[in-house]
């Protein structure tokens, strides 16, 4: 497993990083996977894999909600939030990547 560099490592003195691979423990809910197959026609394969990875670690019911939200954004650029900060951070990150790929990302004014 290739270890990712964490953002915190850019600005904090980190003594040690303990890297684990729990991807096979926290799988994707089958219903969420079916929804994500619909997303596959709207994004690249690399982005799809990243989006699916974003679902891991959440319970099946939340994965379904997130998958539906990602599908809605990929199809119609409609943003959903859940009120759960951890979920909304992941969704925002995913929306941003879809927006970049769909070339709808707005440039910030100075």
């Amino acid at each position: 497993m290739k270890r990712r560099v964490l953002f915190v490592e850019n600005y904090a003195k980190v003594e040690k990083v303990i890297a684990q691979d729990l991807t096979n423990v926290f799988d994707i809910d089958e219903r969420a996977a079916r929804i994500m197959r619909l997303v596959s026609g709207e994004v690249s394969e690399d982005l799809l894999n990243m989006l699916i990875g974003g679902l891991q670690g959440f319970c099946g019911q939340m994965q379904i909600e997130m998958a539906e939200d990602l599908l809605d954004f990929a199809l119609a650029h409609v943003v959903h939030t859940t009120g759960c900060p951890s979920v909304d951070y992941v969704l925002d990150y995913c929306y941003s990547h879809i927006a970049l790929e769909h070339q709808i990302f707005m440039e910030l004014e100075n």
Side-chain angles (χ1 to χ4, degrees), residues 38-107:
L38 299 173
V39 176
S40 69
E42 303 299 321
V43 299
S44 67
E45 184 177 342
D46 286 342
L47 180 53
L48 179 67
N49 290 331
M50 192 271 305
L51 298 175
I52 291 171
L55 302 179
Q56 289 182 284
F58 293 101
C59 71
Q61 184 177 351
M62 186 57 82
Q63 287 182 11
I64 293 166
E65 177 64 35
M66 294 170 76
E68 289 172 346
D69 295 348
L70 292 172
L71 178 61
D72 210 13
F73 189 78
L75 292 173
H77 303 143
V78 174
V79 169
H80 293 265
T81 61
T82 65
C84 300
S86 59
V87 175
D88 290 341
Y89 289 134
V90 171
L91 286 173
D92 188 53
Y93 181 78
C94 293
Y95 294 151
S96 297
H97 281 274
I98 294 169
L100 282 169
E101 200 167 275
H102 285 198
Q103 298 179 349
I104 62 165
F105 213 84
M106 296 180 347
E107 292 191 34

Side-chain angles (χ1 to χ4, degrees), residues 29-39:
D29 180 89
E30 181 53 40
R31 294 163 295 175
R34 284 196 301 267
I35 296 166
M36 293 306 292
R37 282 193 281 278
L38 299 173
V39 176

